[in-house]
């Protein structure tokens, strides 16, 4: 069965925002950021593409369609984030998102489980990642990615990263012979269900349904396979989970908290750490786990495993990663038949 994007008409997600992009009213040549015009900036990118081995044909086609985009409306760009995880979590993972995530899994359970086994990644984590990034496909991107990336990189602090992404996009167009507008992003330059960078898309994108195209915007086979492939390539362990919420002694040394501190369950047990229900930790010494306390000893505490570390390498915010793992648990329980 060919999996296609499900349009979630009324997610009602807290924090969901909409962005309007419009090409700059000035011509690209007249718009300047400091001393550098956008046209001059593009000339530099074109030369870098040439030096990277991109064909002249691809360069000419791509740069003839390049436009300067300026953010027009961002409804909650300056929205203040909650200061405590207990406040952040219900905003990040509202019940509507849980329900939609479970419904999506149920609708395609057989296909998702097959692909999950193929790549060694539990489907619930793929769906949770989609839920926290693209809102289950609501924000897959509909703007020409290279124009967006060039525009965002023009005079910006992320200039070096944007240039790397831009060149990766040129190489992908050159290699795939795809149309310029097939590479689409949101206003941040994020692509498809998993919100890949262009470089990640070029590296981890997979043709999950073997139709000759990699479509992470509309085809759920490709989006799932690509997301799972990314996690698998980072070292994801399908036999493990992400971690668990725990209790700790009131006088625990805060220096023991952090992903750089690795101890066995037995060692944490000896320090006084217990499961959230107060019972003993697993009786095993074959795992190196870390204690994290995002809000200090008075907030929620967790022992986290290697899969959590993989997610934290991609997402800097502990609140975000914990929200993602929480959503994965809500997708798992109660079990979907």
């Amino acid at each position: 069965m060919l999996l296609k994007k499900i349009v979630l008409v009324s997610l009602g997600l807290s924090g969901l925002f909409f962005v309007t992009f419009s090409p700059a009213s000035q011509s690209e040549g007249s718009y300047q950021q400091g001393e550098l015009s956008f046209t001059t900036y593009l000339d530099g990118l074109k030369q870098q593409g040439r030096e990277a081995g991109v064909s002249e044909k691809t360069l000419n086609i791509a740069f003839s369609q390049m436009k300067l985009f300026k953010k027009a409306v961002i409804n909650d760009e300056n929205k203040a984030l909650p200061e405590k995880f207990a406040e952040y979590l219900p905003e990040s993972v509202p019940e509507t998102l849980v329900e939609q995530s479970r419904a999506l899994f149920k609708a395609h359970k057989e296909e998702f489980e097959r692909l999950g086994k193929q790549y060694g990644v539990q489907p619930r984590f793929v769906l949770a990642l989609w839920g926290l990034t693209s809102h289950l496909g609501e924000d897959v991107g509909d703007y020409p990615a290279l124009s967006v990336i060039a525009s965002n990189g023009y005079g910006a602090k992320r200039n070096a990263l944007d240039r790397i992404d831009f060149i990766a996009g040129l190489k992908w167009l050159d290699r795939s012979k795809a149309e310029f507008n097939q590479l689409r992003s949101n206003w941040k330059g994020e692509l498809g269900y998993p919100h890949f960078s262009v470089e990640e898309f070029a590296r981890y994108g997979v043709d999950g349904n073997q139709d000759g195209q990699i479509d992470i915007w509309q085809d759920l086979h490709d989006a799932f396979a690509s997301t799972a492939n990314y996690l698998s390539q980072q070292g994801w362990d399908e036999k493990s989970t992400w971690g668990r919420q725990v209790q700790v002694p009131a006088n625990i040394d805060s220096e023991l908290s952090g992903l750089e501190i690795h101890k066995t369950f037995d060692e944490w047990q000896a320090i006084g750490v217990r499961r959230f229900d107060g019972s003993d930790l697993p009786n095993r010494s074959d795992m190196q786990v870390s204690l994290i306390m995002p809000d200090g000893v008075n907030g929620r505490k967790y022992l986290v495993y290697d899969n959590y570390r993989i997610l934290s390498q991609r997402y800097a915010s502990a609140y975000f990663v914990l929200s993602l793992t929480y959503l994965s648990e809500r997708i798992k329980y109660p079990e979907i038949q």
Side-chain angles (χ1 to χ4, degrees):
M1 178 175 63
L2 180 63
L3 298 181
K4 290 294 181 182
K5 175 183 174 184
I6 293 179
V7 179
L8 305 176
V9 178
S10 58
L11 279 177
L13 298 180
S14 174
L16 181 63
F17 59 88
F18 299 90
V19 177
T20 302
F21 250 129
S22 62
S25 57
Q26 301 96 328
S27 69
E28 282 74 9
S30 65
Y31 189 89
Q32 292 203 180
Q33 187 85 312
E35 299 297 320
L36 183 69
S37 72
F38 187 61
T39 296
T40 302
Y41 177 74
L42 289 180
D43 288 341
L45 290 177
K46 189 173 185 179
Q47 180 58 30
Q48 288 185 40
R50 190 176 288 119
E51 293 171 357
V54 180
S55 72
E56 205 65 30
K57 179 180 179 180
T58 296
L59 290 173
N60 289 335
I61 292 174
F63 281 86
S64 69
Q65 300 178 73
M66 210 71 66
K67 301 291 183 182
L68 175 62
F69 277 74
K70 300 175 71 178
K71 258 181 315 183
V73 178
I74 304 177
N75 291 340
D76 70 348
E77 184 181 45
N78 299 315
K79 180 181 177 181
L81 294 175
E83 296 183 358
K84 297 294 183 180
F85 183 58
E87 301 167 355
Y88 178 96
L89 183 60
E91 289 193 17
S92 180
V93 188
E95 284 302 311
T96 49
L97 178 56
V98 173
E99 293 166 4
Q100 295 286 357
S101 299
R102 289 177 57 83
L104 182 59
F105 188 23
K106 183 175 183 178
H108 304 288
K109 189 172 186 289
E110 182 178 345
E111 293 88 347
F112 286 162
E113 288 184 340
R114 179 182 62 80
L115 286 168
K117 289 179 180 178
Q118 179 179 342
Y119 289 96
V121 177
Q122 304 95 313
R124 63 189 176 105
F125 289 103
V126 172
L127 293 173
L129 188 151
W130 290 353
L132 268 290
T133 53
S134 66
H135 306 291
L136 298 179
E138 281 294 287
D139 178 29
V140 296
D142 198 34
Y143 305 111
L146 290 184
S147 285
V148 171
I149 294 166
S151 300
N152 288 344
Y154 177 50
K157 293 179 180 180
R158 291 185 67 254
N159 190 272
L161 291 175
D162 285 312
R163 283 174 181 257
I164 291 171
D165 226 21
F166 187 88
I167 299 303
L170 287 177
K171 287 182 175 181
W172 183 82
L173 289 177
D174 200 35
R175 183 173 62 252
S176 66
K177 310 302 179 186
E179 297 292 331
F180 179 80
N181 286 325
Q182 282 183 247
L183 198 61
R184 304 185 305 280
S185 75
N186 63 11
W187 66 275
K188 293 182 179 179
E190 300 163 332
L191 281 60
Y193 271 77
H195 275 190
F196 278 165
S197 67
V198 175
E199 194 273 337
E200 288 171 335
F201 171 64
R203 180 178 299 184
Y204 302 110
V206 174
D207 180 7
N209 62 358
Q210 302 297 308
D211 67 351
Q213 297 182 343
I214 303 175
D215 180 0
I216 63 171
W217 296 268
Q218 300 290 329
D219 192 292
L220 290 177
H221 265 123
D222 292 0
F224 189 102
S226 298
T227 309
N229 183 47
Y230 166 81
L231 292 172
S232 177
Q233 293 297 321
Q234 308 313 306
W236 192 269
D237 183 1
E238 68 174 326
K239 296 180 181 179
S240 183
T241 185
W242 63 273
R244 65 177 67 234
Q245 190 172 358
V246 295
Q247 294 184 24
V248 304
N251 63 347
I252 192 168
D253 184 354
S254 62
E255 295 297 317
L256 293 174
S257 174
L259 292 178
E260 69 279 4
I261 306 296
H262 296 191
K263 294 183 181 296
T264 65
F265 284 117
D266 291 343
E267 290 173 320
W268 288 118
Q269 175 82 14
I271 293 170
V273 179
R274 297 292 184 271
R275 297 176 193 253
F276 187 65
D277 65 4
S279 61
D280 289 346
L281 295 175
N283 183 21
R284 54 188 298 182
S285 58
D286 60 333
M287 291 177 63
Q288 292 290 316
V289 301
S290 300
L291 173 69
I292 61 169
M293 301 187 293
D295 293 330
V297 71
N298 293 321
R300 301 186 188 192
K301 285 80 65 175
Y302 303 87
L303 285 181
V304 296
Y305 316 153
D306 286 343
N307 286 343
Y308 180 95
R309 293 190 183 96
I310 288 172
L311 294 171
S312 68
Q313 289 169 5
R314 180 175 179 83
Y315 306 109
S317 168
Y319 283 8
F320 184 93
V321 178
L322 288 170
S323 296
L324 191 160
T325 59
Y326 170 78
L327 178 55
S328 78
E329 295 294 332
R330 294 294 306 277
I331 294 171
K332 183 179 181 179
Y333 300 109
E335 184 178 357
I336 295 173
Q337 302 298 326

